[in-house]
Amino acid sequence: MELVKGAFVVIEGVDGVGKTEQAKRFKEALDYMNISAILTKTPGEMRPEGLVGSTLGPIVRDVLFSDKYVDVGYESKSMLLLADHLLLVEEVIKPAVAAKCIVVSDRFMDSQFATWNKPAEDPVNQTFSRFYRCIPDLTFLLTGDPTECFERASNRGSQDNEKQSNKPWNSVEALNQIQENYKHLVVNSTIRRVVTIDTIGKDIDEVHNEVVESFTEWLVENQYLLKESQET
């Protein structure tokens, strides 16, 4: 498929719902469809294949989730996340979209508002709203059972260097609240397209198929494809 323009697509949801796996599979599906795509993440991290995200991301991730900075407050952490997001926009998102690529991001701005559990009138959130200059073209919100998500996130956290206890989503109740915050953001979104996919009772392949089908429909509806690509 050949695109007439690029797009910024985000996969959101609580920790343990399967965002990272779905983002990876979605990017692989785009490769199979011969659509130029880039996979990114906020905060960024180093993986065996290289950096995923902004160059600031691994530093921000270390401050947020390690034992070394437990006394860093909410406002400071929020500004670090904002810096990571803004650098990601300049380093990755804008250049890739300009080159007619699909940027697939594991989290972006909604995770900031939903995860840190602050109301819209909070001054830090207001600052975030003013600073963001890159609104996702399409967002997939994955929802799931908070208890199952917490179990998966806890098991994964025990295998890496990020301790679950240092994260804002360190209980089933916290994950449930974050998911409700996400739903609130979706209901009040008037400037972009959000597709909510319920993962309860579905395997990874079923969720992946829903993501790809919804994305393909969205491409056609919003005239992202060249006419020749639509006819083949």
Side-chain angles (χ1 to χ4, degrees), residues 10-212:
V10 178
I11 298 182
E12 293 277 11
V14 299
D15 216 41
V17 78
K19 295 182 307 302
T20 299
E21 179 65 22
Q22 290 302 329
K24 174 177 173 290
R25 287 187 174 221
F26 180 43
K27 198 272 184 183
E28 290 172 351
L30 294 175
D31 291 340
Y32 181 78
M33 297 159 65
N34 291 320
I35 294 177
S36 181
I38 292 176
L39 179 64
T40 189
K41 178 174 182 149
T42 59
E45 64 181 4
M46 289 300 301
R47 295 180 180 175
E49 64 271 23
L51 175 67
V52 177
S54 80
T55 51
L56 184 62
I59 300 172
V60 173
R61 182 170 288 276
D62 184 47
V63 173
L64 294 181
F65 305 135
S66 74
D67 286 331
K68 295 180 288 186
Y69 306 96
V70 292
D71 294 329
V72 176
Y74 156 71
E75 290 83 2
S76 298
K77 289 180 177 179
S78 293
M79 291 306 170
L80 284 172
L81 279 169
L82 176 58
D84 174 58
H85 290 170
L86 293 177
L87 190 58
L88 180 68
V89 170
E90 297 303 321
E91 286 185 340
V92 179
I93 298 171
K94 282 186 177 180
V97 171
K100 299 182 181 180
C101 291
I102 300 295
V103 178
V104 181
S105 184
D106 178 355
R107 295 186 186 273
F108 193 58
M109 56 186 286
D110 286 329
S111 66
Q112 172 64 32
F113 299 112
T115 301
W116 296 89
N117 196 16
K118 294 290 180 177
E121 61 270 17
D122 181 85
V124 175
N125 279 358
Q126 290 181 9
T127 299
F128 264 67
S129 298
R130 288 196 297 269
F131 268 103
Y132 274 111
R133 295 293 183 268
C134 184
I135 305 299
D137 297 294
L138 177 63
T139 299
F140 288 102
L141 173 60
L142 307 185
T143 60
D145 179 273
T147 300
E148 293 181 0
C149 292
F150 181 72
E151 290 176 356
R152 285 195 292 267
S154 298
N155 291 335
R156 186 185 65 225
S158 65
Q159 299 171 8
D160 58 33
N161 295 322
E162 296 176 5
K163 291 192 175 182
Q164 194 74 4
S165 60
N166 294 337
K167 297 183 178 182
W169 49 95
N170 58 5
S171 68
V172 174
E173 292 74 18
L175 281 186
N176 184 63
Q177 182 60 60
I178 292 169
Q179 185 158 271
E180 291 305 310
N181 293 345
Y182 267 121
K183 293 177 181 178
H184 177 76
L185 289 168
V186 169
V187 170
N188 290 278
S189 177
T190 59
I191 60 175
R192 57 201 165 89
R193 172 76 178 275
V194 181
V195 176
T196 301
I197 297 178
D198 185 2
T199 66
I200 296 177
K202 300 173 184 174
D203 61 29
I204 294 175
D205 290 334
E206 290 175 302
V207 175
H208 170 68
N209 289 337
E210 285 193 43
V211 170
V212 173

